């Protein structure tokens, strides 16, 4: 059975225009990382996940492949899996396999911004897992989190890929508080987080030798050119990624190579950039177990399971409402 509810923002263009205007008029300038992801940006990110330097995706897959049954046992063998930012559900199949093999699999709830990907993935999964019910939700889950349907039996809500690290502390706590409010007494959150490690490895993961990450970073400018009539010269900016040890996060920026004036016709806006000026495009916070326990506590959650890859580079953690 497949049911997909669509709640796309009719004013997405206006939302983007507002976000970009605020970011370009701020000091320092900043763009939201969600605007990396047009079709080309999504392809570039897929290439990034396959790079030797970029370990998080491999590490997360390793944990899911080796420990999904254990994760589900700690979570009380839930019958429903909710996935935020589900995409093609490629990694999630390890969890679905373990749920099926344990005789608990009932419902999968993919939550994604793409109608096409959600419909295609739903069709694939009902073929792969006979009897599975798919209740898809197409929306911006940051805005529409409360639209996730309540389910019985118990649920596990998966937020994978380390995406939580892209949020600043206050929005991160507010987002986790909203998840906590959705969880019933038997429900769990499964969260993917990259872990603190030596600076050289962290910076290499965002500064690959082939330059794919730099191309991905600059793609946000191409999106603004396409969607907002901007005239960014991509060659007039360079990719910068460095680890901020005090904030314990990667800081990804674009640096202007010259004094320049950028016009955005769609915003009726001209934005000056000085030579050497940097514009932030993403952060990626790194965690320790102790830091994550503190983050959970601040959101009304408690750590109930901790699973890392063999190298200890990455963690999946289970949390439940206090």
């Amino acid at each position: 059975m497949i049911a997909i509810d669509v709640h796309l923002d009719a004013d997405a263009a206006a939302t983007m225009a507002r976000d970009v205007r605020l970011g370009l008029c701020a000091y320092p300038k900043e763009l939201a990382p969600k605007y990396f992801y047009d079709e080309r940006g999504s392809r570039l990110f897929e290439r990034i996940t396959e790079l030797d330097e970029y370990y998080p995706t491999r590490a997360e897959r390793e944990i899911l492949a080796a420990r999904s049954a254990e994760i589900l046992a700690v979570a009380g063998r839930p019958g429903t899996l909710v996935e935020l930012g589900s995409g093609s559900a490629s990694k999630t199949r390890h969890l679905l396999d373990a749920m099926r093999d344990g005789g608990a699999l009932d419902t999968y709830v993919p939550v994604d911004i793409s109608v096409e990907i959600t419909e295609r993935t739903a069709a694939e999964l009902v073929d792969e897992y006979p009897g599975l019910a798919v209740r898809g939700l197409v929306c911006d889950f940051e805005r529409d989190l409360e639209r996730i349907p309540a389910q019985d039996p118990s649920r596990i809500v998966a937020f994978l890929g380390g995406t939580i690290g892209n949020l600043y502390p206050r929005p991160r706590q507010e987002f986790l508080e909203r998840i906590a409010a959705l969880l019933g007494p038997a429900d769990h959150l499964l969260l993917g987080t990259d872990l603190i490690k030596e600076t050289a490895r962290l910076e290499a993961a965002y500064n690959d030798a082939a330059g794919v990450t730099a191309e991905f970073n600059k793609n946000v400018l191409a999106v603004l050119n396409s969607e907002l009539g901007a005239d960014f010269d991509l060659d007039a900016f360079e990719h910068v990624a460095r680890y901020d040890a005090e904030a314990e996060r990667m800081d990804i920026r674009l640096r202007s190579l010259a004094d320049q004036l950028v016009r955005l016709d769609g915003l009726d806006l001209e934005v000056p950039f000085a030579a050497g000026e940097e514009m932030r495009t993403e952060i990626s916070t790194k965690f320790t177990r102790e830091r994550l326990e503190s983050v959970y506590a601040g959101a009304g959650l408690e750590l109930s399971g901790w699973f890392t890859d063999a190298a200890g580079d990455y963690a999946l953690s289970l949390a439940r409402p206090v």
Side-chain angles (χ1 to χ4, degrees):
M1 186 272 287
I2 297 175
I4 298 176
D5 294 331
V6 180
H7 299 280
L8 291 178
D9 184 2
D11 297 319
T15 300
M16 179 183 188
R18 183 181 65 248
D19 290 347
V20 172
R21 181 184 293 276
L22 287 172
L24 291 179
C25 293
Y27 182 81
K29 297 179 177 72
E30 184 163 5
L31 295 173
K34 65 182 177 181
Y35 296 123
F36 287 131
Y37 294 96
D38 63 351
E39 183 178 348
R40 179 172 178 270
S42 297
R43 290 198 307 269
L44 285 169
F45 185 72
E46 286 299 314
R47 288 176 58 193
I48 288 171
T49 65
E50 298 168 358
L51 295 168
D52 290 342
E53 297 97 331
Y54 194 80
Y55 60 85
T57 301
R58 288 192 302 275
E60 189 171 67
R61 286 185 188 278
E62 177 189 324
I63 301 167
L64 289 168
R67 307 189 70 178
S68 280
E70 184 182 353
I71 289 169
L72 294 168
V74 173
R77 295 182 173 82
T80 295
L81 172 61
V82 179
E83 184 175 11
L84 306 182
S86 49
S88 62
S90 59
K91 290 181 290 189
T92 318
R93 282 169 168 80
H94 294 294
L95 289 167
L96 294 173
D97 285 349
M99 293 170 78
R100 177 199 59 202
D101 295 346
L105 182 60
D106 182 76
T107 305
Y108 175 56
V109 182
V111 184
D112 198 86
I113 197 68
S114 170
V115 175
E116 179 184 359
I117 292 174
T118 303
E119 289 178 342
R120 183 173 68 244
T121 301
E124 292 173 355
L125 291 177
V126 294
D127 283 342
E128 293 176 33
Y129 301 92
L132 176 68
V134 177
R135 296 187 61 186
L137 183 58
V138 177
C139 65
D140 179 345
F141 64 78
E142 287 190 38
R143 190 191 69 223
D144 296 317
L145 190 64
E146 285 71 21
R147 292 185 183 275
I148 293 173
Q151 287 284 329
D152 185 55
S154 62
R155 300 175 299 171
I156 184 167
V157 178
F159 190 29
L160 305 177
T163 309
I164 193 71
N166 297 147
L167 299 178
Y168 287 104
R170 169 53 63 180
R172 179 179 64 219
Q173 180 172 337
E174 291 172 350
F175 186 68
L176 290 174
E177 286 173 350
R178 291 168 65 200
I179 291 179
L182 292 176
L183 299 179
D187 295 341
H188 287 77
L189 168 66
L190 179 65
L191 186 66
T193 49
D194 195 10
L195 302 179
I196 293 174
K197 56 188 64 66
E198 58 271 24
T199 297
R201 285 198 64 213
L202 287 169
E203 292 188 344
Y206 297 84
N207 285 295
D208 62 279
V212 181
T213 310
E215 193 176 354
F216 174 69
N217 194 8
K218 289 185 182 184
N219 191 65
V220 71
L221 304 181
V223 170
L224 299 193
N225 287 349
S226 172
E227 298 298 322
L228 294 175
D231 61 357
F232 281 99
D233 177 359
L234 275 60
D235 292 332
F237 290 85
E238 66 178 351
H239 167 71
V240 178
R242 54 180 172 263
Y243 183 61
D244 181 339
E246 182 177 355
E248 297 179 325
R249 68 190 184 204
M250 285 298 301
D251 193 339
I252 296 91
R253 305 187 181 207
L254 289 169
R255 179 187 293 144
S256 177
L257 296 175
D259 291 336
Q260 53 183 310
L261 186 67
V262 175
R263 173 77 186 171
L264 294 92
D265 288 338
L267 301 182
D268 191 22
L269 180 68
E270 290 186 337
V271 181
F273 286 84
E277 181 181 355
E278 294 180 353
M279 175 172 60
R280 179 178 288 144
T281 53
E282 186 177 24
I283 62 167
S284 182
T285 303
K286 310 306 174 183
F287 295 87
T288 61
R289 177 171 179 158
E290 293 72 23
R291 181 181 189 181
L292 195 56
E293 284 181 312
S294 176
V295 169
Y296 279 148
L301 296 163
E302 64 178 0
L303 183 72
S304 57
W306 182 260
F307 312 88
T308 69
D309 60 301
D313 286 334
Y314 192 93
L316 290 177
S317 58
L318 280 171
R320 62 191 173 201
V322 176

